[in-house]
Amino acid sequence: MTITQLEYIVAVDTYKSFILAAEKCFVTQPTLSMQVQKLEDMLGVKIFDRSRQPIVATEVGMEVIAQARLMLAESYKIKEIVTDRQKELSGELKIGIIPTIAPYLLPRIISRFVEKYPQVKLVVWEQNTEHIIQQLKLGMIDCGILSTPLHENNLTEIPVFYENFVAYVSKTSKLYKKKNISPEDIDVEELWVLDEGHCMREQVLNICQRRKSTKGFQHFEYNTGSVDTLKRMVDQNNGATILPELALDDLSEKQLDRIRYFKSPEPAREVSIVIQRNFLKRRMIEALKNEILHFIPKKLRSKKKKEVMDI
């Protein structure tokens, strides 16, 4: 049994295809298939059911692959020990980040991070929470930048900051006449929200304390995954929406006049770096955390006088 064979079966399980797994491992498909077959012969079991498409693991194969992932993680730590002895950070850091955080955080930290750590290659995917959790568990990414808590036993959350939610309202909304608002002031019938699958949607509905499908006013339902689109819908079609506070940096003076803050305790979201329990690349992830904190205003680093919204 070799490390390479373990890497091959994990790749096949991840991509559900021998051809795609071979491409990702930079070998030919016959080479990968031969090594998988050798491992199966040695163990005396079938790891994959090749009769099904996409390829799936057998019952015993699932257990073998789960153990292979653990063994690979431990073997990679040997390289990390050596890397940690080096003064300069180097290597690749794979990050997953949700769309409601990415546009307000990444542009402000990437250039500084790359300049400070030129030997580190950042590979970033903007995806929803469910997809990032799955990729973390499969070891396809090193960390995720997510809204938490996730309540996932196999993942570790490192809280970084607490971002307030604010209301963005049209002049026709009753909220416009108020200086500060309470969740009870919000009429969900005029509220534009993200579509299903976005954790911020659930947090916004939790602010309103009404767990139901929320539609736009005038019998119009609009599904979007973009916070910026919600803002534009308010600009063009009236109503109101809820924005994360970091989004305010991109607003004009006229648009800032439409912002209404919540009374204390202000509803907020906890933003964390999420990792596997036995995670690698500790120094890189710590460096990423420090760069985020360098950018984040001090008032967002504490959850004092804030109510963290669950997902």
Side-chain angles (χ1 to χ4, degrees):
M1 186 185 304
T2 66
I3 293 295
T4 298
Q5 289 173 331
L6 298 181
E7 288 177 332
Y8 287 173
I9 64 171
V10 166
V12 174
D13 181 62
T14 299
Y15 299 107
K16 311 301 180 186
S17 163
F18 278 84
I19 295 174
L20 188 55
E23 291 178 3
K24 297 296 183 179
C25 293
F26 303 103
V27 295
T28 64
Q29 189 265 327
T31 297
L32 182 139
S33 296
M34 180 182 67
Q35 289 299 324
V36 172
Q37 184 67 57
K38 280 185 176 181
L39 181 58
E40 289 179 321
D41 292 343
M42 187 202 75
L43 296 174
V45 297
K46 287 294 182 183
I47 298 175
F48 297 104
D49 182 351
R50 293 166 173 78
S51 67
R52 298 175 62 179
Q53 292 295 330
I55 298 291
V56 296
T58 62
E59 187 174 346
V60 67
M62 292 179 187
E63 295 185 39
V64 171
I65 293 166
Q67 188 61 38
R69 292 187 186 277
L70 293 175
M71 294 174 67
L72 288 173
E74 292 300 316
S75 70
Y76 296 153
K77 285 183 180 179
I78 296 175
K79 294 181 180 178
E80 189 172 6
I81 290 171
V82 176
T83 301
D84 280 348
R85 292 289 182 177
Q86 299 171 347
K87 291 183 178 180
E88 188 172 19
L89 287 181
S90 64
E92 188 175 76
L93 184 63
K94 299 176 182 177
I95 305 168
I97 184 169
I98 56 176
T100 58
I101 295 176
Y104 314 114
L105 184 65
L106 285 183
R108 295 168 170 84
I109 68 169
I110 283 184
S111 58
R112 178 182 163 89
F113 187 95
V114 171
E115 182 180 352
K116 196 170 181 179
Y117 306 105
Q119 299 302 314
V120 176
K121 178 181 179 182
L122 293 179
V123 183
V124 183
W125 287 274
E126 189 176 312
Q127 299 164 330
N128 64 33
T129 298
E130 184 178 354
H131 197 171
I132 292 173
I133 289 174
Q134 182 183 22
Q135 288 195 315
L136 281 169
K137 290 180 177 179
L138 292 174
M140 296 176 68
I141 58 176
D142 300 306
C143 66
I145 301 177
L146 303 165
S147 186
T148 53
L150 299 174
H151 309 293
E152 291 282 343
N153 293 331
N154 296 324
L155 300 177
T156 297
E157 300 167 4
I158 307 172
V160 181
F161 64 94
Y162 301 87
E163 182 180 20
N164 293 345
F165 287 112
V166 298
Y168 183 75
V169 306
S170 66
K171 290 186 177 181
T172 61
S173 171
K174 64 180 182 180
L175 300 177
Y176 187 80
K177 298 178 181 180
K178 295 179 176 288
K179 184 176 181 180
N180 296 100
I181 63 174
S182 300
E184 295 77 16
D185 296 327
I186 298 175
D187 179 4
V188 293
E189 297 302 326
E190 74 161 6
L191 195 66
W192 297 97
V193 297
L194 296 174
D195 58 15
E196 299 284 352
H198 291 271
C199 58
M200 202 180 103
R201 172 191 172 92
E202 302 305 317
Q203 290 168 319
V204 168
L205 294 181
N206 282 338
I207 293 173
C208 302
Q209 298 178 338
R210 291 178 64 176
R211 307 276 287 176
K212 72 173 188 175
S213 177
T214 304
K215 294 185 177 182
F217 48 96
Q218 297 180 349
H219 310 290
F220 182 73
E221 181 175 358
Y222 186 81
N223 298 298
T224 181
S226 168
V227 172
D228 189 58
T229 300
L230 295 179
K231 175 177 62 65
R232 294 187 183 196
M233 294 302 286
V234 173
D235 289 340
Q236 300 296 324
N237 299 282
N238 298 321
T241 192
I242 304 295
L243 302 178
E245 190 171 3
L246 290 180
L248 303 190
D249 289 346
D250 297 329
L251 301 188
S252 66
E253 195 171 317
K254 182 179 179 181
Q255 289 173 322
L256 287 172
D257 183 55
R258 297 186 172 195
I259 294 296
R260 295 296 179 269
Y261 291 90
F262 286 91
K263 297 174 183 177
S264 183
E266 298 175 78
R269 63 175 175 179
E270 178 183 79
V271 178
S272 302
I273 293 177
V274 182
I275 51 179
Q276 281 187 326
R277 285 284 176 85
N278 299 314
F279 74 105
L280 303 172
K281 305 181 181 178
R282 295 171 185 268
R283 287 181 63 208
M284 286 191 202
I285 292 173
E286 184 65 24
L288 176 65
K289 176 185 174 182
N290 290 337
E291 291 308 309
I292 294 174
L293 287 174
H294 178 81
F295 156 70
I296 292 298
K298 287 186 178 180
K299 66 175 184 175
L300 269 62
R301 299 180 192 178
S302 169
K303 60 180 178 179
K304 186 177 181 182
K305 296 183 179 180
K306 299 176 184 179
E307 181 182 0
V308 175
M309 294 292 107
D310 205 353
I311 299 174

